[in-house]
Amino acid sequence: MEEPLIFEFGHFDTTGVDFDMPDAFEMELGGHERKAALELPGLAEPEAMRHYVRLSRNNYAIDAGLYPLGSCTMKHNPRLNEKMARLPGFGDIHPLQPLSTVKGAVELIDTLAHWLMTMTGTTAVAMSPKAGAHGEQCGMMAIKAAHKAAGRDPKIVLVPESAHGTNPATAALLGYKVVSIDAKDEDGTVDLEALKRKIAEHEGDIAAIMLTNPNTCGLFEREIIEIADAIHKANAYFYCDGANYNAIVGKARPGDLGVDAMHINLHKTFSTPHGGGGPGSGPVVLSERLAPFAPLPFIRKGEDGPVLVETPEALEAGEQPFGRMTAFHGQMGMYVRALSYMLSHGSDGLRQASEDAVLNANYVRVGLQDLMSLPFGERPCMHEVLFDDTFLKDTGVTTLDFAKAMIDEGYHPMTMYFPLVVHGAMLIEPTESESRASLDLFVATLRDLVMSARNGETDRFSGAPYFSPRRRLDETSAARKPVLKWEAPAPAEAAE
Amino acid sequence: MEEPLIFEFGHFDTTGVDFDMPDAFEMELGGHERKAALELPGLAEPEAMRHYVRLSRNNYAIDAGLYPLGSCTMKHNPRLNEKMARLPGFGDIHPLQPLSTVKGAVELIDTLAHWLMTMTGTTAVAMSPKAGAHGEQCGMMAIKAAHKAAGRDPKIVLVPESAHGTNPATAALLGYKVVSIDAKDEDGTVDLEALKRKIAEHEGDIAAIMLTNPNTCGLFEREIIEIADAIHKANAYFYCDGANYNAIVGKARPGDLGVDAMHINLHKTFSTPHGGGGPGSGPVVLSERLAPFAPLPFIRKGEDGPVLVETPEALEAGEQPFGRMTAFHGQMGMYVRALSYMLSHGSDGLRQASEDAVLNANYVRVGLQDLMSLPFGERPCMHEVLFDDTFLKDTGVTTLDFAKAMIDEGYHPMTMYFPLVVHGAMLIEPTESESRASLDLFVATLRDLVMSARNGETDRFSGAPYFSPRRRLDETSAARKPVLKWEAPAPAEAAE
Amino acid sequence: MRYLPLSNQDRADMLARIGVDSIDDLFADIPQKARLNDLMDLPRRASELQVERQLSALAAKNVPASSVPFFVGAGAYKHHVPATVDHLIQRSEFLTSYTPYQPEVTQGTLQYLFEFQTQVARLTAMDVANASMYDGSTGTAEAVLMAHRVTKRKKAVLSGGLHPQYRAVVEGLADLADDDVVSLPADPAGTEDILAQIDKETSCVVVQSPNFYGQIVDLKPIAAKAHECGALLIAVFTEVVSLGLIEPPGAQGADIVVGEGQSIGNGLNFGGPYVGLFATRSKYIRQMPGRLCGETTDADGKRGFVLTLSTREQHIRRDKATSNICTNSGLCALAFTIHLSLLGSKGLRQMATICHANAVKLKTALASVAGVEVLTGAYFNEFTVKLPKAADAVVEALAAKGILAGVPVSRLVPGKAELANLLVIANTEVNTDDDRDALVAALKEVLA
Amino acid sequence: MRYLPLSNQDRADMLARIGVDSIDDLFADIPQKARLNDLMDLPRRASELQVERQLSALAAKNVPASSVPFFVGAGAYKHHVPATVDHLIQRSEFLTSYTPYQPEVTQGTLQYLFEFQTQVARLTAMDVANASMYDGSTGTAEAVLMAHRVTKRKKAVLSGGLHPQYRAVVEGLADLADDDVVSLPADPAGTEDILAQIDKETSCVVVQSPNFYGQIVDLKPIAAKAHECGALLIAVFTEVVSLGLIEPPGAQGADIVVGEGQSIGNGLNFGGPYVGLFATRSKYIRQMPGRLCGETTDADGKRGFVLTLSTREQHIRRDKATSNICTNSGLCALAFTIHLSLLGSKGLRQMATICHANAVKLKTALASVAGVEVLTGAYFNEFTVKLPKAADAVVEALAAKGILAGVPVSRLVPGKAELANLLVIANTEVNTDDDRDALVAALKEVLA
């Protein structure tokens, strides 16, 4: 059965919420009563329940199957975390109620900050960014503020081609010019010599480099320390995109690699749920050089415990926040979940999780490398393995077709056409949450698909998916003439 | 993808629960350490999550679609009830912790009892029965105890043919002989004159009548008061099966109809979830005559509030409990849910719910009566409407086929072949939880199926369902050679 | 009303379609004099907020187990249940599904019941288990009735170590069904001579281990004597976690094993709903009460599961049925199965070891309290102590200090002087050193 | 570790299959000197029970809104959310799904986003809404950047009634992007002359209504002046429930409407996650930040939904994108949509009416307290009072009495003597007569 929109089956004159209405009273709205129409259906609870349960069934989810999205890190979301976030002492407290009544909340944020700094080997952390991209923005704002404080005004940010699109977007948002840096042909990592030349070319005008490490090809930048040194020598900062930090938790500390700022996607590395696209949370760890510029609010160690600093008026010497990223204190609900995850794993478990993630990715790699093509040879990868479309050459099957055919086999497609540095990229990240049996089945399925493509069974691909709630959707017409909300159908023409 | 059993994919040497193990210590088991093998797989949380989420998807549920099971009353299960039952003050209290620490719990049971007695017009209620059939047993035990206390020992229980199977089973369990009473041909209700003859025939030997009202044909016994009078005159008791009480809440009180005992299925009438087959809860309301025999534990009105009476030693004059139905105090978790439902509806809402349930059933009746056959004519029904298979005559389609074909249309089958008083019965109960739009779609679907059957499209029925997680299952071979648990497959024969 | 989708306009339109003038025309069969034409004397509808407040106020009058040092057991136990369990059992497709009579669209329920049956059979070391009973106590009564059917005898012998409320349930049913029950006196010291009670008239002997007082009972000699007399041994347990560490009844000759499964997957809930476990030998399958799920194939040859052997049941056999039961404790069984699927044998053994270790620690600590004597020799997580004062008063005094110390035997078996000072104390993995220290310290004060 | 399915045997077997000797061989690219060869100085793994206890202990140090008379608002509001909402958003298929980039298997998410967009457009009386922003404050900053793109100007005028933290967010971003921001002084009395600030250089004027102090602002003259100057009016709200009762910005000429949606469907959560609402005129669609869901058809001609106009987004346009945002607040938007689908316009209006009625009642009650002056004339559910003492001290004194009375303006705008005694007080449907009586009585004591 097809599920209509609420506007198509709901009553517009009913409500599914009961209220105890007050006696008549004189309103004090100053004549601003709503006159504009407001037509929203009010469903009875059983109607709403059924509608949204049915809708949910059209979704793929990590709870229902392996989600091999490289770089997106779809790992298990423990329900303990959900339970903890719903404790009234966390879920039902107001950001502006007296600080004396939220001491546990501030302590929780401080504890989480301690874990993040210790893991990453950094000095400070800006907790409030609301998502990874927001964290990038925060980190780059701190860098800009630091330059400003030093009387510098560099205009260029270096970004490798393999970077997430948010990196150049963030740099541009802050008025920087984005200069691309070259990758080494053999493995897609940054070419140190080329970088040095670029630095020399723009001497004194480089604000920062934005680098993902492990990079989006699933490889660790072997010359990372040299890169950091070169950048620092140029009076610039090293911004690390932390999207792939989950590969190395407990194995290396970004601070030790020379990173000045790195956002951490709590949903990728620390298991807070993706929720169909958010909410995220993107705390940014900062090196000693950037620490003073962390935005408001931040937590200062006080004699009687942690102190939440909310306004410029409350600053002490040396504190130079560049401003504020958001109202209130950030994504508390996500903090609780992430800390619950960290406490559960502990130092040993976090390290084990990274190891298992890398182990699983390499297990998939060796399971597929004879049939699918590795752009940079059969070297170990980190937590994700990158294939290109060479193996599909002359089959008439594209990366997109191949990925869509996975849906009919019960899998979500892998990340496609990203990173841009290889042709027809397919980036697979199984995460540590998959069992060996699950990986074996996944590998077998992909092998079967490859053989099918080789055997010329193009129908299986070109029309895929066949068995999903919807088949391929017409994105072009959606964009050409956007329909972004439901409109009541025009009344039928009167007869005659 | 097919979902294996946990024994087929789990590791037997791992666990998905972390414990902090104690230091070594000397066990004091007296030499009773387990030596028998215990091989149970321990799944990691992500494995367990995915397994049970996937299993769940093979189930139909009221949250996902209309569930027209006559007599089973699949209505909306409000999530407020679930939330309330999980309050630590209800969900995390022990039945034997000091009564001074569970005063709110006892008060809740007392409040629920007050609602049940007020609604039904009765004097007492035995709260502890664990399900409807258990409630029947409780009611009949009270009746037996009452006869015993009066020095009587009648041997016969009268049960109409349309009764639920539990009625004769319960009577037999307590050593009674079951004597069937005839239904009137025209509407399946009890034939008062036939009943009177039966009473005369077995004078002095009748313990009780067990009657469902509204009956399982969805009709209210019009002569109910006369029936009760006749039974009472014979020194017998009127046990009413309360399975269909949901039709008349707020419209009539069983006590006013002469009922001496009636169990109330909290899941049918008061929305506690069916849970795939339980847990239920079947409190039994009792008339003044039976009240003294209510089993332990019961609540006595005390000067400082309700008192929980748990043992024979605590009885006061006039209290003659026949024993105890279960350890502890009954289905507290269900009590909370039911009371939450009752408080939500209130007296007015409960009455409205009954009216809507009856309205919906009659709406389905008039939507289908021209195409499907009503065994007792086009008279109004109560909360469920009974069809027989006359309309399928000569189509080659059976009641079973017809019901199974509904699955392919997205519906759970209705109750089939029950009650036994009509041929090929189909009993439909939409409940008050369905919207008019939902009923319209359901009626249209059934009309389409009827037309299809008439048009000789027998394949649509004989092989149905085609589109469900499983097609028809071989119940015969399942019963002939029962396989009731998983066994490890025998190791493959060694070569040679 | 938020749960009712019909609008007033709908109602009016539908009445018109049905062809009646008013809703009361549909209730015309109710005798005029019995019709309620007014609202009942009960409150009117309430908002969700109001209901939540009213019920929360009642809940706040109770002391949750998690909020205090907690040693109450005697048939129900406070264990920690992983959050995953409660999340999964609330899935709409499990929570709001009906009994799986239509197996094509209820394989979810059926498959977990099959897993459940396998788990229970393995735990108890029996051949087969059913798909659950209401709880341990009603399961025990059903076991006795089953033994009567199997042996065609009517005399049951109940050990004095059987939970007193289980005993009451069995006695009540037997009494009204005119069966004989020989109940041995309360046996806190574990010295009863039950063998002497078993004779050729005996249908079954019912023995709990670990028993109500915590004592682990050697079932083998009892099984031998029972079998010699043609009777069945019904072995009962109330703490299923014990089966992770102690020898299961199935390995000691029990014919029916029945017990309470609450400890795994289920909360305390003031006594219900719980989940009864019931297992027996293959040869008795057709005499077994309750639902059974069996493996079969569908029309396409795929493996599937169905409720089976329903010819034993009330909806087919009516007054010839093996019992009148027509529900199981489905959702509680699911909670059990999920929790146990996480634990596995390894986790269950670890959990059981901690429970036992905590009991040993507390027993040792209590040795320092003057006048307290531990009566139980071999035990799992629960033991009985004799106090120098009446146990109920001590428990109340400790409750006033915020410690829930156990169950006075007199709560369940009042009026017996020799039992008045006995306290049954339970230990689980939730108890900490602090809990024990608090109990011991407070007990010293109360007894001083 | 309970979340990791690999056994040690699996790990060994898999390393062998991969062809390396040890796991560290797979980490060989990490420079030797930066490798962590030991565990970090952080605690080791912990059981679920332990974690639960540790976090519960922290939670217990906070005072939940539901546990006391509660009048705190100023951008986040305590409303009652039906239990159904939280149940549904925890469905695995919603909670653990990714961004719907593969629309064939994410129609569930896409369809509710389409419903969300329609609801938001109707609430605000605007043409189109996006699929949500992080929250109201970041949405406001994005609105200013969007206005700059539309007008190709760089000067934003911010009303003194704008939430001070929203203002800080806009200023911080503008400062680093070298844009101009003219921020008017705090305006508790609603007397600012914002029209005078709008000129031909102005990109946008940002006005909140009801504003931070609770005052409802007439947006029409501001829209007129802005449009006259070629500037956009950005209308902001922090209490979305107000739109059930007061004239929406879209009907008053706003070009962009942005606000906080937390009040519907979402809890307080100490400030996040929340859900930003963002709506505008059709002509500006392609300048709009954030995700958009649009209707289309699939290969079989069936209606379906997709993320659309992605050419505006960072993953296509990289450094030319409209913003760097690549998530929305999906699950919070779902909570919003479900709650609002239950409310409907009828329920929303009822809820808003109760909020307003409670505000009126409290305002009336406060008239009896000597020295308290209400500054706000036209208001919805929130107003500002001037106390005879410093508001922060009064609030602390009331908190000590178990009443959370509101937000001292000085918490957000410290160091200004004229604001020191101001208190912003919020009212919602959860406030009772008892709450108000308690507040008034306690306030009298504190001020005495």
Side-chain angles (χ1 to χ4, degrees), chain D residues 181-341:
Chain D
V181 171
V182 176
S183 293
L184 276 69
D187 182 36
T191 52
E192 71 180 8
D193 181 10
I194 199 164
L195 300 186
Q197 299 297 329
I198 308 171
D199 58 24
K200 297 284 181 188
E201 310 295 302
T202 305
S203 147
C204 58
V205 52
V206 182
V207 184
Q208 179 178 333
S209 176
N211 74 11
F212 175 71
Y213 302 94
Q215 179 71 41
I216 303 175
V217 179
D218 188 354
L219 299 174
K220 290 184 293 294
I222 307 173
K225 178 71 189 286
H227 295 162
E228 190 186 306
C229 295
L232 305 189
L233 170 60
I234 299 174
V236 178
F237 56 84
T238 61
E239 175 49 291
V240 62
V241 173
S242 67
L243 296 180
L245 207 56
I246 72 173
E247 187 71 338
Q252 300 186 64
D255 301 288
I256 303 174
V257 181
V258 61
E260 179 52 63
Q262 169 268 330
S263 281
I264 296 183
N266 288 276
L268 289 170
N269 290 319
F270 201 49
Y274 288 173
V275 51
L277 311 183
F278 195 110
T280 188
R281 303 285 172 203
S282 295
K283 59 184 168 186
Y284 302 133
I285 289 179
R286 282 164 209 272
Q287 299 300 332
M288 206 179 184
R291 288 209 189 114
L292 287 170
C293 170
E295 185 181 318
T296 187
T297 51
D298 81 350
D300 290 337
K302 287 186 186 167
R303 177 173 73 182
F305 303 93
V306 290
L307 292 182
T308 191
L309 297 180
S310 54
T311 47
R312 303 164 303 123
E313 292 185 273
Q314 43 74 28
H315 61 95
I316 307 264
R317 297 260 291 175
R318 299 177 73 90
D319 51 325
K320 302 284 184 288
T322 54
S323 88
N324 74 336
I325 293 176
C326 71
T327 55
N328 62 351
S329 195
L331 206 66
C332 301
L334 174 60
F336 179 97
T337 288
I338 297 172
H339 191 181
L340 191 51
S341 78

Side-chain angles (χ1 to χ4, degrees), chain B residues 286-307:
Chain B
L286 299 169
S287 66
E288 203 170 350
R289 300 198 299 153
L290 290 180
F293 306 100
L296 296 167
F298 59 82
I299 289 176
R300 180 196 298 144
K301 296 281 170 197
E303 294 203 355
D304 304 322
V307 176

